[in-house]
Amino acid sequence: MMELEIELKKASDSLKLWDATSISLTAGCDLFMRYVTRTSALEYEDFNSAKSRLIERAEKFGEISCKARRIIAMLSQDFIFDGCTIMVHGFSRVVLEVLKTAAQSKKLFRVFCTEGRPDRTGLRLSNELAKLDVPVKLLIDSAVAYTMDDVDMVFVGADGVVESGGIINMMGTYQMALVAHSMNKPVYVAAESYKFARLYPLDQKDMAPALRPIDFGVPIPSKVEVETSARDYTPPQYLTLLFTDLGVLTPSVVSDELIQLYL
Amino acid sequence: MDPRRAPRTVSDPKVRKVGFFTDPPDRSLPGPPDHPISSFPTSPPSTIDNSPPSAGNSLSPVMIPPPRHSSSILSPLRRDPAEFFPLPASPTASTSFSDDVASTMKGRGVAAASSSLPGGLFFYIAAIKSAASSVPASGLTTVSVVNNLPIEKGGGVAVEMQDDQSSRSKSLKEKTTKAERRALQEAQRAAKATAKAEDGKTPAAASGGAASVKSGKSVKPPPSQKNDSAALAALEKKAGDRPPEKDRKKEVPQPRMQFDDKSRVEKAKRRAVVKQTEARNRVELFRHLPQYERGTQRTELRSKFFELDPVHPAVYKVGLQYLYGDICGSNARCIAMLQAFQEAIKDYSTPSKKTLARDLTAKIGSYLSFLIECRPLSISMGNAIRFLKNRIAKLPLTLSELEAKATLRSDIDRFINEKIILADKVIVKHAVTKISDGDVLLTYGSPSAVEMVLLHAHELGKQFRVVVVDSRPKLEGQLLLHRLVGKGINCTYTHVNAISYIMHEVTRVFLGASSVLSNGTVYSKVGTACVAMVAHAFRVPVLVCCEAYKFHERVQLDSLCSNELGDPDVISKIHGREDINFLDGSTNSENLQLLNLIYDATPSDYISMIITDYGMVPPTSVPVIVRDYRREHLWI
């Protein structure tokens, strides 16, 4: 069993190394490793049964992650009402699932979608939404405050949910949350529970950097620096609710869940 | 960082169809610190009107305060102050009424104490004053209530507004509960005479339990202690909370002894090992805390050394060290006390016809009362005592005396090791990840955990400098400064008056804590709240390093209801500067009251994270850890 644990740890480490910046990957690996160490403490005489239990758990893990999106979509239906305007940022499959479910239950709503430079996530998302016959409006990132008056709620996904209850997501989320908060619009986050990570950033620079080159279309003079970070941290006081497969949570519950999970 | 207000602003009934909406715990709706709503969920709706306009109308879907009969009494408060006064005529109405008033005024008192007086308060006080002059008869009711305080206070309305309304709130409470208490105690005087025979043993334990909130759960005073339970009931009412009946049966910690209750003080004095004279010139607002003349304490204790049979010499030594201030800091005090108890247990032998568990618990109780007389227990010490009493109670009966004593001593060793020493190591490990090169770290006073963090970070080779903020009268920061500079860390030293001047260059603030309470409030040395508040205003993250054994399930909303009073003479004299002696001779004047507070409470809004041996947690997760911790304790 110990050998198996060590092997699994090595595998998990190499997986994490593949994309050092992905928080959900790290968090997911950590969670599974946590389960492994917890169960192997209960000594199984039969190695095979222990192994099969782990495999079963791993498959269940995969299943949960797929089902999670559907659960989240279901939970968030109550919050989307007829005639509402939703602002979305970044391309999150969970948020897409939420909007898809809402559209399929014949709710009438429209979506404001930010362009999401430099990834152009906005264009992808608006494509998908147009296929669902949902009225979409595309904005440039700077037009968030301008249009916030007409918006009823903000919906974002998350790369990772940190211990303080804040989220790490694509660059621009913090900005949007700040504007929404100052205009008293709710900010909802849709994230699966395996994205809960044991990080605790104190400010924007306190995270592992994730850089992405930006193409401005014209060559930049060499003396000019470019801010290439791809994500930012939104503190919990700007978030209203988190939709997870564990239920609809407030940001302060994230730490409780993490404590129970890891201790 | 703005205060966490997001959840409340969302409650638009149109959106909130409450399908899966999980009720956020009260503490996730904190609001600004001067907001009485989250503090008093049952306060009448009129207080909501009185609080600052940003409080919001969107409170209703989430938290609807139950309609109170007093709301009709209180709502005319703002409009017609003259009607306010005839009401105290009926005693029954006045009980609940003044309790409410007291609680709202206490709420406002909180507001007043912690921030500038809200506009409504001025109106209210002005109204009282005008009514006092315009409606003399009933006005005198309240004014005389103010004067109806235990120790002579000359007539006339108090000068200072703040003192006025806060003391009035206290006096209104006192007036009603004292009447009740008096009635109850008249009835129980007879029972007391018969119960006086048992006064020897159990009150010692009871006072040890009563005087320290956090200890003494396993030692419950027997219900036959009528006088205690009467005072208990009165005290619990006085404290303004009404625990449901079933909670009384569960482990409710004894309410702290309130030192403005004359009968209890008298009783405690009779039981006291050491005679202490109460200090003169005590500040009205803090009459519920003990304050003694330091000089007499010391001479009394020294002279009594050979008479202190019941007190083990190790405990006596520790008590003296507390009294003289040789041991300072909650970890040091806790460790010293536990080690003294270890010695005492080693030398202990069960008298015949008594069980080890009960007798030892009683003995520990008596040691505790002695230690409390030297210096009131800190919260960490209370938790340690609870652990010890738990262990004693859980001793299997089959153990011989030697084995039992050895088990207890090894338990104490394990507690010190795991909960303090190892916990500190874990805290240091987490905290150094938050220090990066080029940081300017600020710390206040001399917290042991923070010192370890800084030294370890320096060993790891991180480049940073430290700002040590200090304050009178203890000037503990100088010791920390000395040690840091000795290790080669770049330091800046300043006093707390300059905190807003220095804060703009600081990147992180590390604070220590004497305890963290359930609502995330950090209870630590006076001045910490200031530092945290200024750091918050400058958007500097505040990290509190605190071991988990110091967490407590109590909730405290302000620094007044429970605190410790130090020696006031230290304030009036500056050691080493004999030329500054403006207060010489005036210290005995009636008009001058010196106040030397030891602790203060920092609201959770100013804290970014708490670093414990459970990891880095936000202040909202403290109750989870307390719950976890208690559960774990039962398994040890």
Side-chain angles (χ1 to χ4, degrees), chain B residues 226-266:
Chain B
K226 296 224 190 82
N227 30 10
D228 258 6
S229 70
L232 213 86
L235 274 178
E236 284 190 291
K237 269 216 178 137
K238 178 200 246 312
D241 49 344
R242 289 165 178 78
E245 276 310 312
K246 57 179 163 81
D247 265 2
R248 269 188 230 253
K249 307 292 189 290
K250 274 176 20 187
E251 296 189 335
V252 173
Q254 300 289 349
R256 287 178 297 284
M257 173 146 158
Q258 305 285 64
F259 282 82
D260 39 12
D261 177 358
K262 284 219 84 174
S263 56
R264 292 205 88 196
V265 171
E266 287 303 316

Short mmCIF file of all heavy atoms in Angstrom, two decimals, chain B residues 226-266:
data_model
loop_
_atom_site.label_atom_id
_atom_site.label_comp_id
_atom_site.label_asym_id
_atom_site.label_seq_id
_atom_site.Cartn_x
_atom_site.Cartn_y
_atom_site.Cartn_z
N LYS B 226 -27.69 27.62 46.61
CA LYS B 226 -28.76 28.53 46.19
C LYS B 226 -28.23 29.93 45.99
O LYS B 226 -28.59 30.63 45.08
CB LYS B 226 -29.86 28.54 47.25
CG LYS B 226 -30.56 27.24 47.41
CD LYS B 226 -32.06 27.43 47.52
CE LYS B 226 -32.72 26.13 47.92
NZ LYS B 226 -32.67 25.90 49.36
N ASN B 227 -27.39 30.36 46.92
CA ASN B 227 -26.93 31.74 46.79
C ASN B 227 -26.17 31.93 45.49
O ASN B 227 -26.33 32.91 44.81
CB ASN B 227 -26.07 32.16 47.98
CG ASN B 227 -25.32 30.98 48.56
OD1 ASN B 227 -25.32 29.90 47.96
ND2 ASN B 227 -24.75 31.16 49.71
N ASP B 228 -25.35 30.94 45.15
CA ASP B 228 -24.61 31.07 43.89
C ASP B 228 -25.55 31.11 42.71
O ASP B 228 -25.39 31.92 41.81
CB ASP B 228 -23.65 29.89 43.73
CG ASP B 228 -22.24 30.32 44.09
OD1 ASP B 228 -22.06 31.45 44.55
OD2 ASP B 228 -21.33 29.52 43.91
N SER B 229 -26.55 30.22 42.76
CA SER B 229 -27.42 30.17 41.58
C SER B 229 -28.27 31.42 41.49
O SER B 229 -28.60 31.88 40.42
CB SER B 229 -28.31 28.93 41.63
OG SER B 229 -29.26 29.08 42.67
N ALA B 230 -28.58 32.01 42.65
CA ALA B 230 -29.36 33.25 42.60
C ALA B 230 -28.54 34.34 41.95
O ALA B 230 -28.97 35.02 41.03
CB ALA B 230 -29.75 33.67 44.02
N ALA B 231 -27.31 34.45 42.44
CA ALA B 231 -26.43 35.45 41.84
C ALA B 231 -26.18 35.12 40.39
O ALA B 231 -26.10 35.99 39.54
CB ALA B 231 -25.12 35.52 42.62
N LEU B 232 -26.07 33.82 40.13
CA LEU B 232 -25.86 33.36 38.76
C LEU B 232 -26.97 33.82 37.86
O LEU B 232 -26.74 34.37 36.79
CB LEU B 232 -25.82 31.83 38.76
CG LEU B 232 -24.90 31.19 37.75
CD1 LEU B 232 -23.54 31.10 38.35
CD2 LEU B 232 -25.40 29.83 37.40
N ALA B 233 -28.21 33.60 38.35
CA ALA B 233 -29.35 33.99 37.53
C ALA B 233 -29.34 35.48 37.31
O ALA B 233 -29.57 35.98 36.22
CB ALA B 233 -30.65 33.54 38.21
N ALA B 234 -29.03 36.18 38.39
CA ALA B 234 -29.00 37.64 38.27
C ALA B 234 -27.92 38.07 37.30
O ALA B 234 -28.10 38.94 36.47
CB ALA B 234 -28.78 38.26 39.65
N LEU B 235 -26.78 37.40 37.42
CA LEU B 235 -25.67 37.76 36.55
C LEU B 235 -26.00 37.48 35.11
O LEU B 235 -25.70 38.26 34.22
CB LEU B 235 -24.43 36.96 36.93
CG LEU B 235 -23.59 37.58 38.03
CD1 LEU B 235 -22.44 36.68 38.34
CD2 LEU B 235 -23.08 38.93 37.59
N GLU B 236 -26.62 36.35 34.89
CA GLU B 236 -26.91 36.00 33.50
C GLU B 236 -27.88 36.99 32.92
O GLU B 236 -27.80 37.38 31.78
CB GLU B 236 -27.47 34.59 33.41
CG GLU B 236 -26.39 33.54 33.58
CD GLU B 236 -26.87 32.16 33.26
OE1 GLU B 236 -27.70 31.65 34.03
OE2 GLU B 236 -26.46 31.62 32.24
N LYS B 237 -28.82 37.43 33.75
CA LYS B 237 -29.75 38.45 33.26
C LYS B 237 -29.00 39.74 33.04
O LYS B 237 -29.23 40.45 32.08
CB LYS B 237 -30.84 38.69 34.31
CG LYS B 237 -32.05 37.83 34.15
CD LYS B 237 -33.31 38.61 34.52
CE LYS B 237 -34.52 37.75 34.32
NZ LYS B 237 -35.48 37.85 35.39
N LYS B 238 -28.12 40.01 33.94
CA LYS B 238 -27.38 41.26 33.85
C LYS B 238 -26.60 41.28 32.56
O LYS B 238 -26.49 42.29 31.90
CB LYS B 238 -26.42 41.34 35.03
CG LYS B 238 -25.55 42.58 35.02
CD LYS B 238 -24.35 42.36 35.91
CE LYS B 238 -24.33 43.23 37.13
NZ LYS B 238 -24.56 44.60 37.00
N ALA B 239 -26.05 40.15 32.23
CA ALA B 239 -25.25 40.11 31.00
C ALA B 239 -26.12 40.27 29.77
O ALA B 239 -25.64 40.41 28.68
CB ALA B 239 -24.49 38.79 30.93
N GLY B 240 -27.42 40.23 29.98
CA GLY B 240 -28.31 40.56 28.87
C GLY B 240 -28.64 39.38 27.99
O GLY B 240 -29.46 39.47 27.10
N ASP B 241 -28.05 38.23 28.22
CA ASP B 241 -28.39 37.08 27.39
C ASP B 241 -29.31 36.18 28.16
O ASP B 241 -29.28 36.12 29.39
CB ASP B 241 -27.14 36.31 26.98
CG ASP B 241 -26.25 36.02 28.16
OD1 ASP B 241 -26.44 36.66 29.20
OD2 ASP B 241 -25.38 35.18 28.05
N ARG B 242 -30.18 35.49 27.44
CA ARG B 242 -31.10 34.58 28.12
C ARG B 242 -30.91 33.20 27.52
O ARG B 242 -31.60 32.85 26.56
CB ARG B 242 -32.52 35.05 27.90
CG ARG B 242 -32.82 36.32 28.68
CD ARG B 242 -34.07 36.98 28.19
NE ARG B 242 -34.36 38.15 29.00
CZ ARG B 242 -33.77 39.32 28.89
NH1 ARG B 242 -32.80 39.47 28.01
NH2 ARG B 242 -34.08 40.34 29.66
N PRO B 243 -29.99 32.41 28.01
CA PRO B 243 -29.77 31.11 27.37
C PRO B 243 -31.01 30.25 27.53
O PRO B 243 -31.65 30.29 28.56
CB PRO B 243 -28.60 30.53 28.16
CG PRO B 243 -28.56 31.28 29.43
CD PRO B 243 -29.16 32.60 29.17
N PRO B 244 -31.39 29.53 26.52
CA PRO B 244 -32.56 28.65 26.66
C PRO B 244 -32.33 27.64 27.76
O PRO B 244 -31.19 27.32 28.08
CB PRO B 244 -32.69 27.99 25.29
CG PRO B 244 -31.36 28.17 24.67
CD PRO B 244 -30.77 29.38 25.22
N GLU B 245 -33.38 27.12 28.30
CA GLU B 245 -33.26 26.27 29.48
C GLU B 245 -32.33 25.10 29.24
O GLU B 245 -31.54 24.74 30.08
CB GLU B 245 -34.65 25.75 29.90
CG GLU B 245 -35.41 26.73 30.76
CD GLU B 245 -34.58 27.24 31.93
OE1 GLU B 245 -33.96 26.43 32.63
OE2 GLU B 245 -34.52 28.45 32.11
N LYS B 246 -32.45 24.51 28.08
CA LYS B 246 -31.64 23.31 27.87
C LYS B 246 -30.17 23.64 27.84
O LYS B 246 -29.33 22.85 28.17
CB LYS B 246 -32.06 22.59 26.60
CG LYS B 246 -31.99 23.42 25.34
CD LYS B 246 -32.40 22.56 24.16
CE LYS B 246 -32.74 23.40 22.98
NZ LYS B 246 -31.66 23.86 22.19
N ASP B 247 -29.85 24.87 27.44
CA ASP B 247 -28.45 25.23 27.42
C ASP B 247 -27.88 25.29 28.82
O ASP B 247 -26.71 25.05 29.03
CB ASP B 247 -28.26 26.60 26.73
CG ASP B 247 -27.95 26.40 25.27
OD1 ASP B 247 -27.91 25.25 24.83
OD2 ASP B 247 -27.76 27.40 24.58
N ARG B 248 -28.73 25.65 29.78
CA ARG B 248 -28.21 25.70 31.13
C ARG B 248 -27.76 24.34 31.58
O ARG B 248 -26.85 24.19 32.36
CB ARG B 248 -29.30 26.20 32.07
CG ARG B 248 -29.32 27.68 32.24
CD ARG B 248 -30.29 28.05 33.33
NE ARG B 248 -31.18 29.09 32.86
CZ ARG B 248 -31.11 30.34 33.27
NH1 ARG B 248 -30.22 30.68 34.14
NH2 ARG B 248 -31.93 31.25 32.81
N LYS B 249 -28.45 23.32 31.08
CA LYS B 249 -28.07 21.97 31.47
C LYS B 249 -26.81 21.55 30.77
O LYS B 249 -26.02 20.80 31.30
CB LYS B 249 -29.19 20.96 31.12
CG LYS B 249 -30.53 21.34 31.66
CD LYS B 249 -30.55 21.24 33.19
CE LYS B 249 -31.94 21.40 33.77
NZ LYS B 249 -32.48 22.73 33.66
N LYS B 250 -26.62 22.08 29.56
CA LYS B 250 -25.39 21.74 28.83
C LYS B 250 -24.23 22.50 29.43
O LYS B 250 -24.39 23.23 30.39
CB LYS B 250 -25.54 22.14 27.35
CG LYS B 250 -26.20 21.05 26.56
CD LYS B 250 -26.49 21.39 25.12
CE LYS B 250 -25.73 22.51 24.54
NZ LYS B 250 -26.23 22.81 23.21
N GLU B 251 -23.07 22.33 28.83
CA GLU B 251 -21.91 22.96 29.44
C GLU B 251 -21.86 24.44 29.13
O GLU B 251 -21.23 24.84 28.16
CB GLU B 251 -20.64 22.27 28.95
CG GLU B 251 -20.60 20.83 29.39
CD GLU B 251 -19.24 20.23 29.09
OE1 GLU B 251 -18.58 20.75 28.18
OE2 GLU B 251 -18.88 19.28 29.76
N VAL B 252 -22.51 25.21 29.95
CA VAL B 252 -22.41 26.67 29.81
C VAL B 252 -21.30 27.15 30.72
O VAL B 252 -21.30 26.86 31.90
CB VAL B 252 -23.72 27.34 30.22
CG1 VAL B 252 -23.57 28.83 30.23
CG2 VAL B 252 -24.84 26.93 29.28
N PRO B 253 -20.33 27.86 30.20
CA PRO B 253 -19.27 28.32 31.10
C PRO B 253 -19.83 29.29 32.11
O PRO B 253 -20.74 30.06 31.81
CB PRO B 253 -18.26 29.00 30.16
CG PRO B 253 -18.96 29.19 28.89
CD PRO B 253 -20.11 28.24 28.81
N GLN B 254 -19.29 29.25 33.34
CA GLN B 254 -19.75 30.13 34.39
C GLN B 254 -19.59 31.56 33.95
O GLN B 254 -18.56 31.92 33.43
CB GLN B 254 -18.92 29.91 35.64
CG GLN B 254 -18.98 28.51 36.19
CD GLN B 254 -20.32 28.22 36.79
OE1 GLN B 254 -21.12 29.13 36.98
NE2 GLN B 254 -20.58 26.98 37.08
N PRO B 255 -20.57 32.39 34.19
CA PRO B 255 -20.35 33.80 33.89
C PRO B 255 -19.26 34.35 34.77
O PRO B 255 -19.10 33.92 35.90
CB PRO B 255 -21.70 34.45 34.18
CG PRO B 255 -22.47 33.47 34.94
CD PRO B 255 -21.88 32.13 34.73
N ARG B 256 -18.54 35.29 34.22
CA ARG B 256 -17.45 35.84 34.99
C ARG B 256 -17.98 36.59 36.19
O ARG B 256 -19.07 37.11 36.16
CB ARG B 256 -16.66 36.80 34.14
CG ARG B 256 -15.83 36.12 33.11
CD ARG B 256 -15.15 37.18 32.30
NE ARG B 256 -16.12 37.98 31.60
CZ ARG B 256 -16.76 37.59 30.53
NH1 ARG B 256 -16.56 36.39 30.06
NH2 ARG B 256 -17.63 38.38 29.94
N MET B 257 -17.15 36.64 37.18
CA MET B 257 -17.57 37.38 38.36
C MET B 257 -17.56 38.86 38.03
O MET B 257 -16.57 39.41 37.57
CB MET B 257 -16.57 37.10 39.47
CG MET B 257 -16.81 37.94 40.68
SD MET B 257 -16.40 37.04 42.12
CE MET B 257 -16.14 38.39 43.22
N GLN B 258 -18.68 39.50 38.28
CA GLN B 258 -18.78 40.93 38.00
C GLN B 258 -18.50 41.65 39.30
O GLN B 258 -19.19 41.46 40.29
CB GLN B 258 -20.17 41.27 37.49
CG GLN B 258 -20.59 40.46 36.29
CD GLN B 258 -19.90 40.89 35.02
OE1 GLN B 258 -18.69 40.79 34.88
NE2 GLN B 258 -20.67 41.38 34.08
N PHE B 259 -17.49 42.48 39.26
CA PHE B 259 -17.01 43.04 40.50
C PHE B 259 -17.81 44.23 41.01
O PHE B 259 -17.44 44.83 41.99
CB PHE B 259 -15.54 43.41 40.37
CG PHE B 259 -14.67 42.19 40.46
CD1 PHE B 259 -14.48 41.40 39.36
CD2 PHE B 259 -14.12 41.81 41.66
CE1 PHE B 259 -13.71 40.26 39.44
CE2 PHE B 259 -13.34 40.68 41.74
CZ PHE B 259 -13.15 39.90 40.64
N ASP B 260 -18.89 44.59 40.29
CA ASP B 260 -19.68 45.65 40.88
C ASP B 260 -20.86 45.08 41.66
O ASP B 260 -21.69 45.81 42.15
CB ASP B 260 -20.15 46.63 39.81
CG ASP B 260 -20.54 45.90 38.56
OD1 ASP B 260 -20.67 44.67 38.60
OD2 ASP B 260 -20.72 46.57 37.54
N ASP B 261 -20.91 43.79 41.76
CA ASP B 261 -21.95 43.15 42.56
C ASP B 261 -21.41 43.04 43.97
O ASP B 261 -20.58 42.19 44.26
CB ASP B 261 -22.25 41.78 41.94
CG ASP B 261 -23.25 41.01 42.74
OD1 ASP B 261 -23.68 41.52 43.79
OD2 ASP B 261 -23.61 39.91 42.30
N LYS B 262 -21.87 43.90 44.83
CA LYS B 262 -21.22 44.02 46.14
C LYS B 262 -21.24 42.73 46.93
O LYS B 262 -20.28 42.36 47.59
CB LYS B 262 -21.92 45.11 46.96
CG LYS B 262 -21.56 46.49 46.52
CD LYS B 262 -21.42 47.41 47.69
CE LYS B 262 -20.05 47.31 48.31
NZ LYS B 262 -19.87 48.31 49.34
N SER B 263 -22.38 42.01 46.89
CA SER B 263 -22.47 40.82 47.74
C SER B 263 -21.46 39.77 47.31
O SER B 263 -20.82 39.13 48.14
CB SER B 263 -23.88 40.26 47.69
OG SER B 263 -24.21 40.01 46.34
N ARG B 264 -21.29 39.61 46.01
CA ARG B 264 -20.34 38.59 45.56
C ARG B 264 -18.92 38.99 45.89
O ARG B 264 -18.08 38.17 46.24
CB ARG B 264 -20.48 38.38 44.06
CG ARG B 264 -21.81 37.75 43.72
CD ARG B 264 -21.71 37.00 42.43
NE ARG B 264 -21.27 35.65 42.65
CZ ARG B 264 -20.82 34.85 41.71
NH1 ARG B 264 -20.70 35.30 40.50
NH2 ARG B 264 -20.46 33.63 41.96
N VAL B 265 -18.67 40.29 45.78
CA VAL B 265 -17.31 40.75 46.10
C VAL B 265 -17.03 40.48 47.57
O VAL B 265 -15.96 40.01 47.93
CB VAL B 265 -17.18 42.25 45.77
CG1 VAL B 265 -15.88 42.79 46.30
CG2 VAL B 265 -17.25 42.46 44.28
N GLU B 266 -18.03 40.75 48.39
CA GLU B 266 -17.85 40.50 49.82
C GLU B 266 -17.55 39.03 50.09
O GLU B 266 -16.64 38.69 50.83
CB GLU B 266 -19.12 40.88 50.59
CG GLU B 266 -19.33 42.37 50.70
CD GLU B 266 -18.15 43.04 51.36
OE1 GLU B 266 -17.65 42.51 52.36
OE2 GLU B 266 -17.69 44.07 50.84
#
